[in-house]
Every structure is written in structure tokens, then in C-alpha cells.
Amino acid sequence: MQLSTAPTVGRRRRGNPDSQGLLGVLSVCATLLQLCAGCPSECVCNSLEANCSGRSLVSVPALASLPEGTHTLFLANNRLSSLPVSVFANLSTLETLDLSNNYLDNLPSRLFRELSNLSDLSLRNNSLTILDRELFRGLTQLRRLDLSLNGLAAVPLGLLDELQGLTWLSLAGNRLHALERATFEPLVNLQHLELGMNPWECDCNLRDFKHWMEWLIYRGGYVDAVECTLPKDLRGRDIRGVPVEMFNYCLQLEDENGGGAGSTKGGSPPCFRGTATPSSEGAVVRTEAELPDCVKQRYRPVSVRRAIGTVVIAGVVCGIVCIMMVAAAAYGCIYASLMAKYQRELKKRQPLMGDAEAEADPEEKQISSVA
């Protein structure tokens, strides 16, 4: 009995390491199979990132099979020309989405509505010519938006209303010639704005936006060069360096046309001079984005830099005038003291001159008698 039991125990002890190793291999294989099954065949995935770039895709792969918790999705450098409305459904964990270098020309309304955690969106170098005003609804966490190198001719009013947390925006390399100030006023946290390589027309339509840019720069923000294409006398000049006085004729046009350039588009009433601004007493406090368009357009701040320069120059001139007045007063006092001293000395000399004349009189009498 002892001889038969000893080998059996020995065999069981030798089998334990083999079974543990087999279980480890099976678990690794199961993990790999799970990762492979959770990633489209056109992409390369890991726990946080899915890279589908540079695959010459003409349609978006099945994103529903992406691993749960994916934070970054790259779809750049493909041949995508359109996107289905529900293509990004169930991707609420996505934080970065790159759709640059494609052929996208028309994006459906509220395409990104389920990407509530998206913070970085790139639509750079596509064929976008128009954007639906509801396109970015729901992107309350967006911090960076790249719309450069497209064919945009306008930015619709209301497009950026929900992007109050946006800090970086690029509209460079489009076909923009004018922008409305009210479109950008909701961007209260914006710090970086790129507007270069656009055919800007520096006329009355760009005046209010110029004031808004100056206010952004005054708050510490950055705006790149906005070079004028028209009119010819301003071609090549940065509108930020154009004096605000050159836009004074816009106010005359508004008065002549009953609101003209300053009136709101779409048939809304213009801002008349008799329009009363909301009273601060007993009124509900509202943000600038909630104010009526009339009140927004009536707020036209002058160039802050020019105002500061005017104050400095006025201070220097006043200082010079004060110095001149002090110098004149000092000169008057010195002159008066010198004249008083001269008068005193003159009075002292008068008695001496009288005695000399008295001594000279007898001699003159003798000479006259001899004669």
C-alpha cells in the first residue's frame, strides 16, 4: 500500500505547476480575443485610443465595437465625405476627435450631441462651406475647435452659443470677409483666436467685430493678423492697427439709413436712439449673451489702447504746462526783487547827486559875472 500511494502523491504535485501555467495562457488569450473583438478591423485600438487614420476610408467603421472607455478617436487622412447622424452614438466617454484631412462638405445638425465630454475637435482641411447653427449643440465641455482650411464664407449666429468653455479657436484659411460680433460674445473664456488667410473686407460690417477683438486682446487673449483685402487703400494692413476714426462714417450712414449698417439682420428692428437700456434697479441680472441684440449693438467700446495713449499724452501736456507756470512765477518773483533792489539803490544815490549840484552853482555864478 505504501509503495502504491507514494508515486500517486508525487504525480499530483508535479501536475499543479502545469495546470497553473495553462490557466495563465488561457487567460491571456481570452484578454487578447476580447481586445480584438472590441476594435474595428480598420483601426488599431488600446484601452483608451482608437486610431483609424490613413486607411483611405470612404465610410466610418463600426464605432459601436470600440472598447468601452475610449477617450481618443483618430479618423484623419481618409476619404470621408459625409457622416451619418448617429455615427457617434454611445461614445459619451470620447474626449478627443480628429476628423482632419478628409472631404467632409456637409455635416448634419447636432452631429456631436452625444459627445458630452468632448474637449478637442478638429475639422481642419475639409470641404466645409456652411455650418448648421445646431451643429455644436451639447458640446459644453469643448475647449479646442479647429475649423481652419475649409471654405467657410460665414459663421452663423448661434453656432457658438453653447461653447462658453472654449479657449482655442481657429478659423484661418477660409473665405471669411466679415464676422458678427454677437456670434462670438458667448466665448467668454476664449484666449486664442486664429483668423489669418481670409479675404477680410475692412468696412462697416467688420467695425463691431474689430471692437470685440480689441477687448479680447485687452483681456490678455491672442488674435493673429487680420489683413484687409478691401478697400484698396487698406489692402495689406492689419485691421487692429486701423484707427477707429476711419469708421466714423459708419455712424453717419446709420443715421441716414435709419439704422442701416447697425441694424440687425433677418428683419429685426434696428436700435434707435430713443431705445432705453435696461435699468439696473429692480431688474434681473442677465449675462451679456442674454441681452437683446439692440442692447448689444449699442455697446461699442472705443479702442482701449488709443484711450490709454490719449490719457498719457494729456498728462504729459498738463505736466509741461504746470512746469511752465511755475517757471513763469519764479521768473516774476526774481524780476520783482531785482527791481525793488534797483529802486532802493536809486533812492540812496539821489541825496549825493543833490550836494554835487549845490557845490557847482557858485563856480557857475563867478564865471557868468566875469563874462
Side-chain angles (χ1 to χ4, degrees), residues 37-40 60-68 86-91:
C39 184
V60 180
L63 301 181
S65 60
L66 289 176
E68 294 184 3
S86 59
V87 65
F88 300 117
N90 301 321
L91 292 178

Side-chain angles (χ1 to χ4, degrees), residues 30-352:
T31 303
L32 294 175
L33 289 174
Q34 184 178 2
L35 290 175
C36 294
C39 184
S41 59
E42 301 91 341
C43 308
V44 177
C45 306
N46 56 36
S47 58
L48 297 176
E49 180 181 304
N51 191 348
C52 310
S53 300
R55 304 303 176 97
S56 300
L57 301 176
V58 295
S59 62
V60 180
L63 301 181
S65 60
L66 289 176
E68 294 184 3
T70 300
H71 289 178
T72 303
L73 175 59
F74 295 106
L75 287 167
N77 303 314
N78 285 295
R79 299 180 181 179
L80 303 175
S81 58
S82 62
L83 296 175
V85 178
S86 59
V87 65
F88 300 117
N90 301 321
L91 292 178
S92 59
T93 60
L94 208 61
E95 297 179 359
T96 301
L97 177 59
D98 188 353
L99 291 165
S100 60
N101 301 323
N102 281 284
Y103 301 99
L104 300 173
D105 59 354
N106 189 16
L107 299 179
S109 176
R110 301 194 178 189
L111 173 65
F112 310 105
R113 64 186 182 278
E114 296 192 23
L115 303 180
S116 56
N117 290 312
L118 193 67
S119 61
D120 190 341
L121 174 60
S122 177
L123 292 166
R124 174 185 173 87
N125 194 21
N126 278 279
S127 302
L128 301 173
T129 57
I130 188 172
L131 298 176
D132 189 278
R133 60 179 300 175
E134 304 288 331
L135 179 62
F136 300 132
R137 288 298 170 91
L139 299 182
T140 56
Q141 301 298 319
L142 197 64
R143 298 293 180 267
R144 182 183 175 96
L145 177 60
D146 193 346
L147 293 170
S148 61
L149 300 179
N150 281 281
L152 299 175
V155 178
L157 186 65
L159 177 70
L160 309 174
D161 282 359
E162 293 192 7
L163 307 185
Q164 298 182 5
L166 198 68
T167 60
W168 193 97
L169 173 62
S170 177
L171 291 167
N174 283 280
R175 295 187 297 171
L176 300 169
H177 57 83
L179 291 172
E180 293 188 25
R181 170 180 177 163
T183 304
F184 292 83
E185 285 180 336
L187 305 180
V188 294
N189 291 306
L190 191 66
Q191 293 295 323
H192 186 101
L193 179 60
E194 295 183 356
L195 297 171
M197 297 182 294
N198 280 287
W200 299 110
E201 297 180 7
C202 299
D203 54 11
C204 295
N205 293 325
L206 203 59
R207 179 196 55 179
D208 288 346
F209 185 74
K210 166 184 165 62
H211 293 323
W212 181 85
M213 283 193 301
E214 291 175 347
W215 179 248
L216 175 62
I217 295 173
Y218 176 75
R219 290 193 295 110
Y222 168 81
V223 181
D224 64 346
V226 182
E227 294 185 358
C228 303
T229 302
L230 294 174
K232 291 183 179 180
D233 55 345
L234 294 179
R235 181 173 297 172
R237 291 187 60 180
D238 191 340
I239 191 175
R240 296 173 300 177
V242 177
V244 70
E245 288 79 8
M246 298 190 67
F247 294 92
N248 288 341
Y249 73 95
C250 300
L251 299 175
Q252 300 175 1
L253 292 177
E254 291 179 11
D255 294 338
E256 294 174 358
N257 299 329
S263 61
T264 55
K265 297 182 179 181
S268 57
C271 290
F272 296 102
R273 292 181 178 178
T275 305
T277 56
S279 174
S280 59
E281 296 180 2
V284 178
V285 178
R286 296 185 296 177
T287 62
E288 189 176 7
E290 296 174 348
L291 292 175
D293 291 339
C294 181
V295 178
K296 288 181 182 179
Q297 293 183 1
R298 286 178 64 87
Y299 173 63
R300 298 187 180 99
V302 297
S303 173
V304 177
R305 289 174 294 175
R306 291 181 61 82
I308 294 175
T310 303
V311 171
V312 172
I313 293 174
V316 172
V317 172
C318 292
I320 294 174
V321 172
C322 292
I323 293 173
M324 293 177 65
M325 292 177 64
V326 172
Y331 175 78
C333 293
I334 294 172
Y335 179 78
S337 63
L338 291 175
M339 290 300 297
K341 183 178 180 181
Y342 174 75
Q343 291 294 334
R344 287 195 301 269
E345 292 180 355
L346 185 61
K347 289 180 179 180
K348 290 179 181 179
R349 292 178 182 178
Q350 283 180 354
L352 297 176

